[in-house]
């Protein structure tokens, strides 16, 4: 990476950019529209065969204080690339050091870190160990803040200490026993991320009851399906809560789903609902205020059942064990640089993997979770980030786009929802969920005067965290990745099953084993889903399918292209939906877009259909012509728009991923 970034610096672009940033920090910065112009003046529009333009470099003090600096010293590696290679080659020492540093609690320590006596598909991690990972979440001083919470429409903050959180989790564990749930019997959580949600999660894990995580956006039908797959004996929910000014009634959906016995938290305002026979109010469910002895045992016991965000068919049910949270905590420690005393926010839901991830990445690292009940798109959430003292803020790309384009600025690219709100306390952003947009993410960095980098972070529920990410020891360019996650290896192969060269796109395959990777599925054949039909790696190693497409950029950078099944063939050339969407999103009349491929009736070559949410009033014919010109000039003149469809919004999953498959199905086969 150093060679490539030095080429940019030598050309003068980076030096000019750093000088501009210094001047903006010393005085009043210009509107972001001008900052964006300066960035493009400094770096131009680099292609896939040029190193991406940098917006941030780690400072000496930031590097010295980072968790990665400690690991670099312990490993003896000379640089970051050597450090990552060491974490993959010497998993025993890497994970032993990491578990000790994180303070992971064992009732019986493992005999060793990894037993590879069998196939790499089915390794044995921490053989001989006995543990309950909830105990590792509650090690901070009892008086230290564990959660700071805010609520839409309420300027006040609620702070809960580690001691208070543990007492509430213990009362939940006692309550589960009182309700007749033994260790091994599952309880579902169908509620927003609140203090009570975190306590219910930890209490269930302490009691040995697997949590079935269900996003509160799901319908009664989808709720019923997930309850059945997860074999939940009970469900914890809320009567209702507020989101974007609307009241969301969850208990009504629980009733409609024919759910098992429910524990119901009262609404923030108004009368609690009349409960079904056998259901319990939260206050009546909670057990006595006394310690609960956590159920410890084999690390492979299931702690959590999460579901893939697929949009058709039965969702994959992915079990997390007591091992999976160790991956969450490690990623948070080294890649998001979470430290004791940090305040970590990530607008999320207990039904998406980032909900449990947030619990473990923050609490195992003795940090504070910041939770906001309500829509994170408006100024209320922006003020919450400021008032709660958030230091690490997780985002998804569509949320950043909503922040940037909110408000009444003439070109909708100024301060948006953050107008007049100080985010200078944020020292690091992290992004996941889907590929991001460079302009949006430069805008996000500008909120802190470019002091905070954006750590891109991509992985999956079946990984327990990320497989490709960034780090605070490496320069950052918006919307790019710089490294495989520590302890995890991957290769990116082209259509010829060979590693891609710089400027080329291919499919990413994981190199097992890696702690956090799933080894079973509840309702699918794990081998068939992840291993069957995979090519061998360059050294003949077993590879695991994940399904992401990436472009390899010079200097060690990577750019996400979306899912492999969102790649299309236009004019005989392979291109990802994300690449087309990046070009279309740059048009001022486009708020956001989706590119999908459809086939004509009877088969034939892919045809490009562009779905566009307009930024305002627009003429479809004119917009189509202008988008076609942009695609032809910036990508390839062979990429032709077959149809342009204007929509009010794009369909997304509970985890905010764009559902292109649903758009393809809705469009159908165009007439000949």
């Amino acid at each position: 990476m150093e060679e490539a970034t030095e080429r940019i610096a030598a050309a003068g672009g980076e030096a000019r950019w750093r000088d501009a940033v210094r001047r903006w920090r010393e005085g009043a910065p210009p509107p972001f529209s001008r900052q964006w112009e300066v960035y493009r003046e400094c770096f131009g529009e680099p292609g896939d065969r040029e190193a991406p333009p940098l917006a941030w470099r780690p400072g000496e003090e930031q590097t010295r204080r980072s968790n990665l600096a400690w690991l670099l010293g312990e490993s003896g590696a000379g640089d970051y690339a050597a450090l990552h290679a060491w974490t993959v080659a010497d998993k025993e020492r890497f994970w032993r050091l990491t578990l000790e540093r994180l303070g992971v609690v064992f009732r019986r320590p493992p005999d060793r870190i990894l037993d590879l006596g069998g196939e790499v598909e089915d390794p044995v991690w921490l053989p001989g160990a006995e543990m309950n990972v909830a105990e590792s979440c509650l090690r901070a001083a009892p008086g230290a803040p564990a959660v700071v919470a805010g609520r839409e429409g309420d300027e006040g903050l609620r702070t809960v200490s580690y001691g208070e959180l543990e007492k509430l989790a213990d009362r939940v564990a006692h309550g589960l026993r009182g309700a007749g749930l033994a260790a091994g019997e599952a309880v579902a959580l169908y509620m927003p991320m609140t203090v009570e949600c975190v306590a219910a999660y930890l209490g269930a894990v302490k009691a040995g009851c697997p949590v079935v995580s269900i996003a509160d956006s799901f319908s009664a039908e989808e709720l019923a399906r997930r309850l059945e797959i997860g074999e939940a004996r009970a469900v914890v929910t809320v009567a209702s809560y507020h989101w974007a000014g609307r009241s969301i009634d969850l208990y009504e959906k629980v009733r409609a789903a024919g759910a098992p016995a429910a524990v119901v938290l009262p609404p923030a305002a108004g009368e609690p609902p009349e409960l079904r026979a056998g259901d319990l109010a939260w206050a009546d469910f909670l057990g006595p205020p006394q310690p609960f002895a956590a159920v410890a045992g084999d690390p492979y016991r299931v702690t959590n059942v999460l579901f893939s965000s697929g949009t058709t068919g039965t969702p994959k049910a992915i079990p997390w064990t007591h091992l999976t949270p160790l991956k969450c905590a490690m990623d948070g420690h080294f890649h998001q640089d979470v430290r004791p005393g940090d305040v970590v926010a990530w607008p999320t839901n207990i039904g998406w993997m980032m909900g449990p991830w947030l619990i473990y990445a923050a609490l195992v690292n003795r940090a504070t979770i910041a939770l906001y009940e309500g829509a994170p798109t408006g100024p209320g959430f922006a003020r919450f980030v400021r008032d709660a003292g958030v230091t690490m803020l997780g985002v998804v790309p569509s949320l950043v786009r909503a922040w940037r384009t909110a408000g009444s600025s003439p070109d909708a690219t100024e301060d948006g929802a953050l107008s007049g709100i100080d985010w200078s306390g944020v020292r690091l952003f992290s992004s996941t969920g889907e590929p991001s947009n460079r302009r949006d993410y430069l805008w996000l960095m500008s909120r802190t005067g470019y002091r905070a980098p954006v750590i891109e972070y991509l992985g999956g529920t079946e990984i327990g965290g990320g497989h490709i990410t960034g780090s605070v020891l490496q320069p950052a360019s918006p919307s790019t990745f710089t490294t495989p996650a520590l302890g995890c290896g991957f290769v990116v192969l082209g259509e010829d099953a060979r590693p891609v060269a710089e400027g080329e796109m291919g499919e990413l395959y994981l190199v097992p084993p890696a702690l956090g990777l799933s080894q079973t599925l509840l309702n699918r054949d794990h081998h068939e889903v992840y291993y069957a039909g995979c090519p061998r790696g360059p050294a003949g190693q077993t590879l695991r399918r994940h399904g992401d497409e990436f472009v390899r950029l010079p200097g060690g950078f990577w750019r996400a292209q979306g899912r492999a099944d969102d790649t299309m063939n236009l004019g005989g050339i392979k291109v990802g939906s994300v690449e087309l969407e990046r070009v279309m999103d740059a048009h001022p009349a486009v708020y956001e877009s989706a590119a999908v491929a459809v086939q004509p009736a009877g088969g034939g070559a892919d045809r490009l259909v562009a779905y566009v949410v307009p930024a305002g009033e627009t003429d479809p014919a004119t917009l189509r012509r202008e988008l076609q010109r942009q695609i032809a000039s910036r990508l390839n003149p062979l990429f032709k728009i077959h149809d342009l469809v204007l929509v009010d919004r794009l369909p997304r999953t509970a985890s905010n991923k764009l559902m292109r498959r649903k758009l393809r199905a809705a469009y159908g086969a165009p007439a000949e």
Side-chain angles (χ1 to χ4, degrees):
M1 178 178 295
E2 284 302 316
E3 180 183 350
T5 53
E6 289 305 321
R7 286 203 303 269
I8 293 177
E14 187 187 352
R16 294 197 305 275
W17 171 250
R18 293 171 71 179
D19 182 64
V21 169
R22 179 186 55 78
R23 287 185 282 104
W24 296 337
R25 288 176 181 171
E26 292 173 351
F32 177 72
S33 53
R34 176 54 188 154
Q35 296 178 43
W36 173 244
E37 288 176 5
V38 170
Y39 188 73
R40 297 182 69 185
E41 289 166 3
C42 290
F43 298 112
E45 289 287 345
D48 290 346
R49 297 194 177 277
E50 300 174 74
L54 303 181
W56 179 88
R57 276 184 180 270
E60 183 177 341
E61 179 66 12
Q62 194 166 21
T63 297
R64 184 185 65 80
R65 296 187 59 198
S66 69
N67 293 324
L68 275 174
W70 171 85
L71 186 63
L72 198 63
E74 290 292 317
S75 69
D79 57 24
Y80 184 85
L83 174 67
H84 176 266
W86 169 78
T87 68
V88 173
D90 193 352
K91 293 181 172 67
E92 284 274 347
R93 186 158 181 257
F94 164 61
W95 275 106
R96 192 171 297 280
L97 284 170
T98 298
L99 297 178
E100 290 173 357
R101 181 167 172 87
L102 293 175
V104 172
V105 177
F106 292 102
R107 296 286 183 86
R108 183 186 185 278
D111 298 327
R112 57 178 304 183
I113 296 296
L114 175 62
D115 182 353
L116 267 180
E119 292 292 323
V120 294
E121 287 188 39
D122 200 25
V124 179
W125 293 93
L126 309 186
E130 293 184 3
M131 64 182 298
N132 185 305
V133 76
E135 294 184 305
S136 299
C137 295
L138 300 165
R139 294 171 41 258
V147 183
V148 57
R151 177 178 288 155
E152 185 177 292
D154 186 347
E155 296 294 321
L157 297 178
R158 175 189 179 191
T159 301
V160 175
S161 70
Y162 271 83
E164 291 167 333
L165 180 62
E166 183 168 20
K167 287 176 182 176
L168 187 54
D170 285 343
R171 294 191 69 189
V172 169
H174 283 299
L176 291 171
R177 288 291 185 268
L181 271 73
E185 295 183 309
V187 56
L189 296 186
Y190 181 60
M191 60 194 303
M193 286 287 285
T194 61
V195 171
E196 288 73 20
C197 180
V198 174
Y201 188 94
L202 293 174
V205 174
K206 258 195 161 187
C209 295
V211 174
V212 180
S213 292
I214 304 176
D216 56 36
S217 59
F218 279 124
S219 66
E221 180 182 358
E222 292 298 326
L223 168 63
R225 182 157 59 159
R226 285 159 175 78
L227 289 170
E228 181 181 4
I229 294 170
E231 298 182 351
R233 285 274 320 279
V235 56
V236 181
T237 188
V238 298
S240 62
Y241 69 99
H242 279 82
W243 179 276
R246 296 182 299 116
S247 179
I248 310 296
D249 190 337
L250 289 190
Y251 183 58
E252 187 58 40
K253 291 196 282 185
V254 167
R255 293 169 63 107
V263 175
V264 186
L265 278 86
E271 292 296 316
E274 183 176 344
L275 302 182
R276 301 176 303 177
D279 290 348
L280 288 172
W282 175 253
D284 297 329
F285 158 76
L286 293 175
Q290 60 190 49
F292 183 94
V295 177
D298 191 300
Y300 278 86
R301 291 171 303 129
V302 175
T303 59
N304 199 175
V305 177
L306 293 126
F307 298 92
S308 68
S309 56
T311 60
T312 61
T314 303
K316 290 198 302 284
I318 302 166
W320 279 20
T321 68
H322 290 266
L323 294 169
T324 320
L326 306 181
K327 163 68 172 171
C328 304
M330 182 276 287
D331 280 6
H333 190 75
F334 291 125
H335 289 293
Q336 281 77 22
D337 199 38
V338 178
R339 311 169 194 164
D342 272 337
V343 180
V344 183
W346 207 313
T348 185
N349 187 278
I350 199 64
W352 181 32
M353 65 157 282
M354 294 309 294
W357 185 96
L358 177 62
I359 292 172
Y360 293 121
L363 298 184
V364 175
N365 284 295
R366 291 173 289 157
T368 303
I369 305 173
L371 300 176
Y372 184 77
E373 184 180 340
T377 50
F381 176 78
R383 288 191 293 269
F384 169 74
V385 169
R386 176 197 64 195
D387 297 343
V390 170
T391 56
M392 201 294 283
L393 176 59
V395 299
V396 294
S398 58
L399 180 56
V400 178
R401 169 64 61 89
W403 289 338
R404 183 176 73 82
T405 57
S408 57
S409 56
D411 62 355
T413 60
E414 304 300 332
D415 286 349
L418 275 63
S419 180
I421 297 175
D422 181 10
W423 273 13
S424 60
V426 178
R427 66 177 180 84
L428 185 143
F429 299 103
S430 193
S431 172
T432 195
E434 59 185 356
S436 59
N437 175 281
R438 186 172 59 158
R439 184 173 186 171
D440 291 342
Y441 275 39
L442 190 74
W443 174 86
L444 184 63
M445 295 173 71
S446 76
R447 302 302 89 196
T448 67
Y450 302 97
R451 293 179 176 87
V454 179
I455 301 298
E456 292 278 1
Y457 184 61
L458 182 61
T461 307
E462 64 273 38
I463 295 175
H467 58 66
I468 185 169
T469 181
S471 82
V472 295
L473 296 188
Q474 297 169 294
S477 179
S479 302
T480 64
F481 300 79
T482 56
T483 176
L486 295 180
C488 179
F490 67 70
V491 295
V492 178
L493 305 180
E495 293 181 340
D496 58 359
R498 296 176 182 272
V500 296
E502 289 181 354
E504 293 181 348
M505 180 173 69
E507 184 172 346
L508 182 146
Y509 294 88
L510 302 173
V511 182
L515 196 153
L517 294 182
S518 63
Q519 294 175 230
T520 60
L521 294 172
L522 297 189
N523 58 350
R524 303 282 178 87
D525 184 306
H526 192 270
H527 173 82
E528 287 296 319
V529 171
Y530 296 113
Y531 291 98
C534 284
R536 287 279 173 175
Q541 66 269 58
T542 297
L543 298 182
R544 172 175 165 137
R545 181 182 300 105
H546 190 67
D548 292 324
E549 295 265 3
F550 278 85
V551 171
R552 181 183 173 191
L553 302 172
F557 291 92
W558 298 88
R559 188 174 67 241
Q561 295 296 97
R563 302 294 291 172
D565 55 8
D566 286 324
T567 298
M568 62 190 80
N569 191 310
L570 299 177
I573 299 171
K574 187 179 178 184
V575 63
S577 295
V578 171
E579 195 68 8
L580 291 158
E581 289 156 9
R582 281 196 179 101
V583 172
M584 293 191 291
D585 287 350
H587 193 288
V590 175
Y591 175 70
E592 62 178 345
S593 65
V596 301
V598 299
Q599 285 192 325
D606 287 344
R607 291 176 172 177
L608 171 60
V609 175
Y611 282 84
V612 169
V613 178
E617 293 293 327
T618 189
D619 175 58
T622 301
L623 180 59
R624 177 177 170 176
R625 287 195 300 271
E626 292 175 354
L627 292 179
Q628 182 63 70
R629 281 198 295 269
Q630 286 192 186
I631 289 172
S633 64
R634 298 187 188 182
L635 289 178
N636 195 304
L638 295 178
F639 299 163
K640 305 293 186 184
I641 297 177
H642 172 73
D643 195 8
L644 175 70
V645 182
L646 299 184
V647 293
D648 293 331
R649 60 189 179 90
L650 298 176
R652 294 184 178 274
T653 66
S655 59
N656 213 48
K657 293 178 182 176
L658 186 58
M659 294 193 289
R660 299 182 185 88
R661 187 179 304 170
K662 187 170 184 178
L663 292 172
R664 282 194 290 269
Y667 188 84
E672 291 284 39

